[in-house]
Amino acid sequence: MNATLLIELLTEELPPKALPRLAASFAETIDEELKKMQFVAADATPTVFASPRRLAVSLPQVLSVQPEQHIVRKGPAVAAGMKGGEPTPALLGFARSCGVEVSALTTMHDGKQDVYAWSTVKAGQSLAEVLSAIVVGALKKLPAPKLMRWGDSEHQFVRPVHGLVMLHGDQVVAGEVLGLASGRETLGHRFLCPAPVSLPDADSYARVMFERGRVVASFAARRELIHHRLVDAAARQGATIAADEALFDEVTGLVEWPVVLEAGFDTDFLKVPQECLILTMQQNQKYFPLLDGAGKLKNRFLLVSNLETSDPSAIVGGNERVLRARLSDAKFFFEQDQKVRLESRLSRLADVVYHNKIGSQWQRVERLQVIAGAIAGRLGADAAQAERAARLAKADLVSDMVGEFPELQGIMGMYYAQIDGEQPEVAAAIEGHYHPRNAADTLPQGAVATSVALADKLETLIGIWGIGLVPSGDKDPFALRRAALGVLRMLLAAPLDLRDLLRLAADAFPPGLLSDAVVEEVFGFCQERLKNYLAGDYQVDEIDAVLALSPAAVHEVPAVLAAVAAFKRLPEAATLAAANKRVKNLLKKANGEDGAIDKALLQHDAEKALLDALEALAPTVEAQFAAHDFAAALAALSSLKAPVDAFFDGVMVMDEDMAVRKNRLALLARLAALFNRVADISLLAE
């Protein structure tokens, strides 16, 4: 029999944030095992179902009986299998393990020698014989570290399990999982479908659950339905939805029969910064705030109910009451915080430990002021504003609002600074100094904000690394990788020297507190992060060629990379890269000979021609490098192909005469110095 297989596990409400991962893992493991055992074709695609109360998967064209298994076992070598006409113990043992006499064995060549062998055909197992074990194995592999027991059972799972469906076509596959026997009955929506739902066959699962069970079983279909209805409801309000993908996923994991409802709150709450209100609605209540055309929060919001009723007013009213209490708390925190200026909060930072080896948040603020002011000077920004912003940047950490909603740090500092009458650049820098928070986040706006943002991330990198808390594997508790990427993204847009900034940050710490090698170690760490960041746009050898010279002027790297990529496409590039690799190896063997060139020791026309070409080209190329016209400089250097080829064809570099040898090495050193000003071209060689 060849039919669709359906497996459903009926549970109590599963963790909504983990639901997509659980469902994907469940389906993937079952699919892999069935394909490994040849019950299903290798190109078959499983359909994943997941709702708050169920994990399910269906696979098309699954066999009821596994194909015959052709088994071949290899034994000892023929040459060693018999001794004096009698089978050796090794051969006897092999035959015994196969369950046959020695006479039943055959021989075969295994690619090296002739060996004894035994072959047989094993009848395929039925689906019923293996399916329960496959499902149990899939459950054990779920990414769910916290398991629970229920009732008097010893079985464990993420949530209590109440039902098991295993259908092959219209037939129940007999089996047991977590103490439950398989069947064809399941439960629908907890309130909209009180009676059990009998599934006639595997193919009708989604339709029957929708029509009779009042469950949209597919996570993807349910999410799309929710998104579509929310967007339509928002459009009727002339608004857009303030929500990220994570909120859509979480709400999809909370409901089985989504119903979008509209509700509202008192306009008086709009006096509170909208970030606070939005966070409260999204994080605490899983609501969808609405924004007007100008991006301002409206006093209306959308919610997704798991219950359909002819009169939803009770549901709407209940949600409005709950939100009113939440927003009242936010309004209270905001009003209380305004009674104290940011400046007066600074003393409390002395009691907030940043890290016991490098002090409190107040000590950190003192360092940030020094670093931010120095960076502002390098950027031509107002150093006093940068220092003021750095001084106040962490003050909101001890505010009531940030204490309740840590995600608002920086944002509330900006609002409180504005209320206190701080300069606009200072207020903006307080919020902006956390940017970029991740790879997709925006950069801080303006030189003052950039100065404070760089100071914040550099101080973290140098301080945490300097006391030995280096990221390892997937462990990075202080998010140093993210801090490094943030620094690099800012430096790609700012003409600053990375190594100089790292020294600046290190100098802000007390002498002897950090490791001596911290600057160079963090510089190397940042270079690795830069390599990863650029990998999507350039080839690995191009990136390696540029970063091999450890460029500290990060803002120049994209232009150099583009120039190297353009050079690599030139017809002369491969030969010149190979020549540079040869030069590099020769100089390495000679301990980097780079002395002056004595023209009197030039014996061959080829070496004279190469020197003439270098001297003629050098002024132009040097000027182009100085003007940061890297592409033009590398393109001009491609004209050296002919004299370089002639040199290596006709000149013996490692001449027996040491004076001649050193002179030729000096010539090659000058070639390498000119060629590899911005990139190690030898790394482009195959």
Side-chain angles (χ1 to χ4, degrees):
M1 180 181 173
N2 184 316
T4 299
L5 174 67
L6 169 72
I7 303 166
E8 185 209 60
L9 205 66
L10 181 70
T11 72
E12 294 289 345
E13 276 70 9
L14 293 162
K17 291 183 179 180
L19 184 58
R21 295 197 312 275
L22 295 174
S25 173
F26 183 65
E28 182 181 345
T29 304
I30 290 174
D31 178 50
E32 287 177 354
E33 289 301 313
L34 288 172
K35 287 176 178 175
K36 187 188 301 180
M37 300 178 75
Q38 299 180 328
F39 277 100
V40 63
D43 59 351
T45 303
T47 301
V48 183
F49 300 99
S51 80
R53 300 176 68 202
R54 68 202 75 238
L55 294 176
V57 58
S58 72
L59 292 102
Q61 299 182 324
V62 177
L63 297 173
S64 57
V65 178
Q66 182 186 34
E68 291 182 337
Q69 304 295 300
H70 294 270
I71 301 171
V72 177
R73 293 185 59 189
K74 299 175 186 177
V78 171
M82 303 291 287
K83 189 173 183 180
E86 295 294 326
T88 62
L91 183 58
L92 289 170
F94 174 66
R96 190 164 48 251
S97 70
C98 296
V100 297
E101 298 295 327
V102 170
S103 59
L105 299 176
T106 60
T107 61
M108 63 178 291
H109 192 73
D110 70 352
K112 296 180 180 179
Q113 59 185 338
D114 289 331
V115 298
Y116 284 97
W118 176 72
S119 61
T120 187
V121 176
K122 181 182 178 183
Q125 294 178 285
S126 70
L127 186 61
E129 290 179 272
V130 301
L131 191 56
S132 294
I134 289 175
V135 174
V136 170
L139 296 180
K140 288 180 178 179
K141 289 185 177 180
L142 290 182
K146 294 183 180 179
L147 302 177
M148 61 185 296
R149 293 187 179 91
W150 57 95
D152 57 0
S153 169
E154 289 299 312
H155 298 293
Q156 293 184 329
F157 192 56
V158 189
R159 294 290 186 270
V161 180
H162 299 303
L164 171 68
V165 171
M166 296 196 303
L167 282 178
H168 186 224
D170 60 359
Q171 300 296 310
V172 173
V173 181
E176 183 178 301
V177 174
L178 299 178
L180 296 168
S182 61
R184 67 172 69 249
E185 280 195 352
T186 185
L187 296 179
H189 191 281
R190 188 179 288 279
F191 304 111
L192 301 177
C193 178
V197 177
S198 179
L199 300 169
D201 55 66
D203 287 306
S204 63
Y205 177 69
R207 177 181 58 79
V208 172
M209 291 306 296
F210 183 85
E211 293 175 356
R212 294 176 52 197
R214 308 286 273 178
V215 171
V216 182
S218 166
F219 186 94
R222 198 165 64 254
R223 190 185 192 282
E224 184 178 352
L225 181 64
I226 290 170
H227 186 273
H228 176 72
R229 290 178 177 176
L230 284 169
V231 170
D232 280 354
R236 290 194 293 271
Q237 290 283 322
T240 57
I241 298 169
D244 58 15
E245 296 301 309
L247 182 59
F248 280 105
D249 285 342
E250 187 173 1
V251 170
T252 303
L254 286 168
V255 300
E256 291 194 316
W257 190 255
V259 178
V260 172
L261 302 174
E262 181 189 327
F265 57 87
D266 197 311
T267 56
D268 189 52
F269 289 120
L270 293 177
K271 296 175 184 177
V272 179
Q274 69 178 44
E275 291 90 345
C276 307
L277 306 182
I278 290 172
L279 188 64
T280 299
M281 284 189 272
Q282 291 178 341
Q283 182 171 292
N284 296 121
Q285 302 306 127
K286 316 308 174 190
Y287 297 154
F288 293 84
L290 295 175
L291 305 177
D292 64 19
K296 298 297 183 182
L297 183 67
K298 296 168 68 73
N299 70 319
R300 308 295 294 170
F301 64 93
L302 302 175
L303 61 99
V304 180
S305 172
N306 193 35
L307 188 63
E308 188 173 44
T309 174
S310 58
D311 181 12
S313 59
I315 298 174
V316 171
N319 280 276
E320 288 179 338
R321 283 194 299 275
V322 172
L323 182 61
R324 188 179 305 118
R326 291 286 188 180
L327 297 187
S328 295
D329 288 344
K331 185 171 181 287
F332 174 77
F333 292 143
F334 183 56
E335 290 171 348
Q336 288 298 111
D337 283 343
Q338 291 179 65
K339 294 178 180 179
V340 180
R341 292 179 60 84
L342 275 179
E343 179 89 35
S344 65
R345 295 182 184 275
L346 294 177
S347 59
R348 292 174 57 190
L349 291 177
D351 299 323
V352 180
V353 176
Y354 176 54
H355 191 282
N356 58 4
K357 290 186 178 180
I358 49 180
S360 66
Q361 284 286 2
W362 170 241
Q363 290 170 303
R364 187 168 184 238
V365 163
E366 290 182 314
R367 293 192 292 268
L368 292 182
Q369 286 181 254
V370 173
I371 301 168
I375 295 174
R378 287 162 170 75
L379 284 175
D382 189 317
Q385 288 182 347
E387 290 174 8
R388 179 64 177 171
R391 180 176 176 82
L392 300 176
K394 305 300 179 183
D396 67 348
L397 294 178
V398 290
S399 67
D400 291 341
M401 186 69 85
V402 173
E404 181 72 13
F405 300 110
E407 298 88 347
L408 294 175
Q409 56 188 283
I411 295 172
M412 297 315 302
M414 174 188 70
Y415 281 112
Y416 296 147
Q418 291 171 345
I419 292 168
D420 289 348
E422 297 289 344
Q423 293 176 296
E425 294 82 3
V426 171
I430 293 173
E431 189 278 330
H433 91 280
Y434 284 103
H435 291 241
R437 297 179 182 86
N438 51 57
D441 196 16
T442 57
L443 297 179
Q445 299 300 302
V448 173
T450 299
S451 300
V452 185
L454 280 170
D456 181 59
K457 292 169 178 59
L458 289 164
E459 192 273 348
T460 297
L461 277 167
I462 287 292
I464 298 301
W465 190 292
I467 58 174
L469 299 178
V470 178
S472 175
D474 60 351
K475 295 180 181 179
D476 186 12
F478 289 88
L480 298 192
R481 294 186 180 97
R482 188 170 62 204
L485 181 58
V487 168
L488 293 168
R489 287 186 60 199
M490 286 185 277
L491 292 187
L492 284 168
L496 295 170
D497 185 293
L498 174 59
R499 190 177 269 108
D500 171 59
L501 295 182
L502 292 172
R503 291 195 191 100
L504 186 65
D507 289 344
F509 287 85
L513 180 62
L514 308 179
S515 65
D516 295 336
V518 63
V519 169
E520 288 307 312
E521 288 176 357
V522 174
F523 183 84
F525 176 69
C526 289
Q527 291 286 297
E528 284 300 311
R529 306 317 300 166
L530 182 59
K531 180 178 179 178
N532 294 338
Y533 181 70
L534 296 169
D537 299 320
Y538 296 96
Q539 298 296 316
V540 173
D541 60 344
E542 296 164 358
I543 298 172
D544 287 343
V546 175
L547 298 189
L549 302 188
S550 300
V554 178
H555 66 286
E556 293 182 349
V557 169
V560 177
L561 269 170
V564 169
F567 171 79
K568 187 181 170 184
R569 293 192 292 270
L570 296 175
E572 302 89 350
T575 302
L576 287 170
N580 270 275
K581 184 175 182 179
R582 186 173 178 183
V583 169
K584 184 178 180 180
N585 290 335
L586 287 168
L587 293 175
K588 184 177 180 180
K589 290 178 181 178
N591 296 320
E593 180 64 53
D594 59 356
I597 299 171
D598 185 349
K599 291 186 178 182
L601 292 175
L602 298 176
Q603 300 174 349
H604 291 272
D605 290 341
E607 56 185 332
K608 295 175 183 177
L610 178 57
L611 179 60
D612 290 343
L614 283 173
E615 291 181 337
L617 193 60
T620 300
V621 172
E622 292 287 0
Q624 289 166 333
F625 278 134
H628 294 184
D629 192 351
F630 308 116
L634 290 177
L637 285 168
S638 67
S639 65
L640 291 174
K641 179 182 182 303
V644 168
D645 287 348
F647 177 87
F648 282 114
D649 286 343
V651 178
M652 174 63 72
V653 177
M654 307 305 281
D655 195 272
E656 292 183 1
D657 186 324
M658 290 303 297
V660 172
R661 178 189 298 185
K662 289 184 177 180
N663 203 52
R664 289 172 181 169
L665 289 170
L667 176 59
L668 292 181
R670 182 177 298 185
L671 171 67
L674 187 62
F675 233 110
N676 300 311
R677 277 283 301 277
V678 292
D680 185 346
I681 300 301
S682 70
L683 296 178
L684 300 179
E686 294 183 356

